[in-house]
Amino acid sequence: MSIVLIAAALYLLAAWLVVRRLLADGGAGAGFWLLTAVSAVALHGLFHYLCWRHGGGFDLHFFAALSLVGLGMAALTSAYAATGRLGALGVLVYPIAAAALVGYAFAGPHVARDLDWRLELHAWLALLAYASLAIAALLAIMLWLQERALRRHEFRGWVRVLPPLTELETLLFRTIAVGFVLLTATLLTGMLFVQDFFAQRLSHKTVLSLMSWLVFGALLFGRWRYGWRGAKAVRWTLTAMALLVLAFFGSKFVYELVLRRP
């Protein structure tokens, strides 16, 4: 538990340091706050590793999966910041990662699954896809808020700390493209390696994931062919992400927390 508390404190400290940096300099380039965030990410990952060693397998219960997605989001945000891009995202992502980690720690360990390397590959691809596309959803919300503020001529401090619209939009579509590739690999490995991929319990998850994949694919095609941007890109991104959340965490919530099925 001490690892969890230290990691959560470092996440919150990193978010606070980002806010201070933004208010002082109008930007959040790499600095001490990034070292703090990377330390939190490392401790976050260490806690999962220790839980897996103690449990003898890969824990993918609702809270464990949520924490792993939070870990992936925090790692991606830190990677963006290290390259000088959008460190301000840490204001949102790091508290989310801290809350997910604390939730997993207090929920307690669950029965671990002894998965072979193929199913572990499928699981890791899924978690990376969710983390990448969750970052894309946050970028879409930031893009929408920035566009609305600019249309209303509300040039507040938080608008000025964001990158230009074109840069934010480019980063959004690059993140979606990476997430789409990972989601494609997730679906392919699922069909190849998961037994009864279209079974009763997995049918709704499969259908919703495929719908999300189609929406993300259509968005990328529309961007390439018709130059989609702005509000349309935001709507499609959030719709696809909502389908993906329902596919994975919605089904896990119902089965594991409501129906109490492993």
Side-chain angles (χ1 to χ4, degrees), residues 203-254:
S203 58
H204 60 285
K205 182 186 294 186
T206 305
V207 171
L208 289 170
S209 296
L210 285 171
M211 290 174 62
S212 177
W213 180 81
L214 288 172
V215 175
F216 275 123
L219 173 58
L220 290 173
F221 178 79
R223 170 72 170 183
W224 169 74
R225 184 67 177 82
Y226 303 109
W228 288 357
R229 56 184 303 178
K232 179 175 289 188
V234 171
R235 287 195 300 270
W236 282 66
T237 301
L238 296 182
T239 299
M241 191 62 208
L243 290 170
L244 201 58
V245 169
L246 287 175
F248 189 67
F249 289 106
S251 61
K252 276 187 168 292
F253 179 84
V254 171

Side-chain angles (χ1 to χ4, degrees), residues 10-211:
L10 287 174
Y11 273 133
L12 296 179
L13 176 60
W16 179 71
L17 290 173
V18 170
V19 171
R20 285 193 59 187
R21 184 75 174 268
L22 290 173
L23 293 177
D25 302 335
F32 177 71
W33 72 265
L34 182 57
L35 178 61
T36 305
V38 170
S39 300
V41 169
L43 290 175
H44 194 159
L46 176 63
F47 180 71
H48 276 277
Y49 172 73
L50 293 175
C51 288
W52 295 338
R53 284 194 61 184
H54 179 73
F58 198 30
D59 185 2
L60 281 177
H61 190 267
F62 178 84
F63 289 104
L66 196 64
S67 179
L68 284 170
V69 170
L71 173 60
M73 293 174 65
L76 286 173
T77 300
S78 300
Y80 279 149
T83 59
R85 291 186 175 183
L86 209 61
L89 194 60
V91 176
L92 298 174
V93 172
Y94 294 142
I96 291 173
L101 174 59
V102 171
Y104 173 47
F106 278 95
H110 293 83
V111 177
R113 299 181 180 182
D114 187 16
L115 304 177
D116 65 21
W117 69 269
R118 293 169 298 181
L119 293 180
E120 283 196 9
L121 174 64
H122 170 70
W124 279 115
L125 287 171
L127 292 169
L128 288 172
Y130 296 136
S132 301
L133 294 172
I135 290 291
L138 290 178
L139 291 172
I141 293 172
M142 293 172 69
L143 179 65
W144 172 70
L145 290 173
Q146 188 179 31
E147 283 195 328
R148 188 181 69 167
L150 292 176
R151 284 197 304 269
R152 296 180 178 182
H153 303 287
E154 297 175 352
F155 302 104
R156 298 174 183 174
W158 67 268
V159 175
R160 292 194 295 270
V161 303
L162 294 176
L165 274 175
T166 54
E167 182 179 343
L168 185 59
E169 198 171 64
T170 299
L171 186 59
L172 168 64
F173 278 98
R174 287 180 179 175
T175 305
I176 291 174
V178 171
F180 181 75
V181 171
L182 290 169
L183 183 58
T184 302
T186 300
L187 294 172
L188 288 175
T189 54
M191 288 185 287
L192 291 173
F193 301 146
V194 178
Q195 293 181 354
D196 298 326
F197 189 64
F198 294 96
Q200 181 69 26
R201 183 168 173 176
L202 296 176
S203 58
H204 60 285
K205 182 186 294 186
T206 305
V207 171
L208 289 170
S209 296
L210 285 171
M211 290 174 62

